[in-house]
Amino acid sequence: MIVKRETPLALYKGLGAVLSGIVPKMATRFASFETYKGWLADAETGKTGVGGVFLAGLGAGTTEAVVVVTPMEVVKIRLQAQMHSLADPLETPRYRNAGHAVYTIVREEGFGALYRGVTLTALRQATNQGANFTAYQELKKLAERWQPDVPDLPSYQHMFIGLISGAMGPFSNAPIDTIKTCLQKASFGSDTTALQRITSIASEMWRQEGVSSFYKGITPRVLRVAPGQAVVFAVYERVSKLIERVKEVSESDTYSE
């Protein structure tokens, strides 16, 4: 439908906002996760239990939602939702690009508009990363137990584990994500509270399509998120190992002096 109406290029609407946000999002996610995981580690063993990993994942998801994800997604959704046909050169889009969208939204609706749906976004990201990191850590431990003679798991195994763990989040919080997307796309009066907006959207979705409306788009979301997490975790493991080796070399040089 999108391709038929607006040409294949319409499938890439909002790409600028995604690209400009993905690097700080991943940096925030893993940096905050490792920080929270360290805080929750056992003082004697230095290891973090399953519960601690889950809490660290919740914290990482909340942190990235507030710092990066919410404003990024508001801009992305606005760009994707505008009724602009790329096949019609005479039609002028409301937002020309991500930067112009940010400027227009702040000028017309205030800075707070960039954080519309922040509660739902934080809840979605928190549950997403809680499930994601917990599943990844446990599956990784299981793979290491099955292969005691392998000192470091190969990248393809990290990718496979990341693929599975990456699919956990979307299935666990699909209703939250669907309501959040509708909330960020819609316009409400300034006199309505966040709870009223969420209740209104959820009630309308339930009235129109029932339970299935809350899981709309789950398949493309899993197909987008899971492969991405497979790549991210494989790269994360390689970079982590590289940093550890650099630290070891640095420490050995210090002691040798």
Side-chain angles (χ1 to χ4, degrees), residues 2 5-13 82-91 93:
I2 295 175
R5 181 181 179 185
E6 304 184 45
T7 77
L9 290 177
L11 296 174
Y12 292 89
K13 280 185 177 181
Q82 51 185 353
M83 301 300 292
H84 169 56
S85 173
L86 295 178
D88 183 3
L90 299 179
E91 187 177 355

Side-chain angles (χ1 to χ4, degrees), residues 218-241:
I218 183 64
T219 300
R221 187 179 170 214
V222 170
L223 292 176
R224 172 179 63 86
V225 172
Q229 289 303 300
V231 174
V232 166
F233 274 113
V235 173
Y236 168 72
E237 290 289 351
R238 294 301 117 189
V239 172
S240 297
K241 291 291 188 300

Side-chain angles (χ1 to χ4, degrees), residues 72-129:
M72 179 187 74
E73 291 202 345
V74 168
V75 172
K76 181 191 71 172
I77 290 169
R78 293 292 185 92
L79 287 170
Q80 292 173 336
Q82 51 185 353
M83 301 300 292
H84 169 56
S85 173
L86 295 178
D88 183 3
L90 299 179
E91 187 177 355
T92 303
R94 178 174 175 77
Y95 310 116
R96 294 192 297 271
N97 49 50
H100 181 253
V102 172
Y103 172 77
T104 304
I105 292 170
V106 172
R107 184 189 64 185
E108 296 180 356
E109 304 174 51
F111 185 78
L114 292 175
Y115 281 87
R116 180 170 294 166
V118 65
T119 303
L120 286 177
T121 303
L123 183 59
R124 183 200 67 179
Q125 294 302 115
T127 54
N128 196 1
Q129 299 315 318

Side-chain angles (χ1 to χ4, degrees), residues 44-66:
E44 296 181 359
T45 63
K47 296 182 178 180
T48 309
V50 178
V53 170
F54 181 71
L55 290 176
L58 291 179
T62 303
T63 301
E64 71 176 11
V66 174

Side-chain angles (χ1 to χ4, degrees), residues 15-246:
L15 181 61
V18 174
L19 292 177
S20 62
I22 193 69
V23 173
K25 180 175 78 170
M26 291 302 168
T28 302
R29 174 184 301 177
F30 283 97
S32 57
F33 173 74
E34 292 296 339
T35 300
Y36 300 144
K37 182 183 173 184
W39 290 348
L40 295 168
D42 185 272
E44 296 181 359
T45 63
K47 296 182 178 180
T48 309
V50 178
V53 170
F54 181 71
L55 290 176
L58 291 179
T62 303
T63 301
E64 71 176 11
V66 174
V67 175
V68 181
V69 178
T70 303
M72 179 187 74
E73 291 202 345
V74 168
V75 172
K76 181 191 71 172
I77 290 169
R78 293 292 185 92
L79 287 170
Q80 292 173 336
Q82 51 185 353
M83 301 300 292
H84 169 56
S85 173
L86 295 178
D88 183 3
L90 299 179
E91 187 177 355
T92 303
R94 178 174 175 77
Y95 310 116
R96 294 192 297 271
N97 49 50
H100 181 253
V102 172
Y103 172 77
T104 304
I105 292 170
V106 172
R107 184 189 64 185
E108 296 180 356
E109 304 174 51
F111 185 78
L114 292 175
Y115 281 87
R116 180 170 294 166
V118 65
T119 303
L120 286 177
T121 303
L123 183 59
R124 183 200 67 179
Q125 294 302 115
T127 54
N128 196 1
Q129 299 315 318
N132 187 16
F133 278 111
T134 303
Y136 181 81
Q137 296 284 339
E138 292 306 302
L139 289 173
K140 180 182 173 183
K141 290 178 184 177
L142 183 61
E144 290 172 341
R145 284 199 297 270
W146 284 349
Q147 305 166 98
D149 298 331
V150 178
D152 293 321
L153 297 180
S155 293
Y156 77 88
Q157 292 189 19
H158 288 303
M159 291 185 69
F160 182 70
I161 296 171
L163 183 73
I164 297 174
S165 64
M168 299 292 186
F171 281 113
S172 67
N173 56 27
I176 298 172
D177 185 57
T178 305
I179 295 173
K180 178 216 53 100
T181 301
C182 293
L183 177 65
Q184 291 175 326
K185 191 188 332 183
S187 298
F188 290 91
S190 58
D191 57 336
T192 57
T193 65
L195 181 59
Q196 290 174 330
R197 295 170 184 172
I198 293 171
T199 303
S200 174
I201 289 173
S203 299
E204 184 63 19
M205 289 171 59
W206 178 268
R207 187 184 66 80
Q208 290 186 354
E209 300 181 54
V211 176
S212 62
S213 65
F214 295 96
Y215 288 87
K216 187 175 292 184
I218 183 64
T219 300
R221 187 179 170 214
V222 170
L223 292 176
R224 172 179 63 86
V225 172
Q229 289 303 300
V231 174
V232 166
F233 274 113
V235 173
Y236 168 72
E237 290 289 351
R238 294 301 117 189
V239 172
S240 297
K241 291 291 188 300
L242 179 61
I243 292 174
E244 287 179 5
R245 292 193 185 101
V246 171

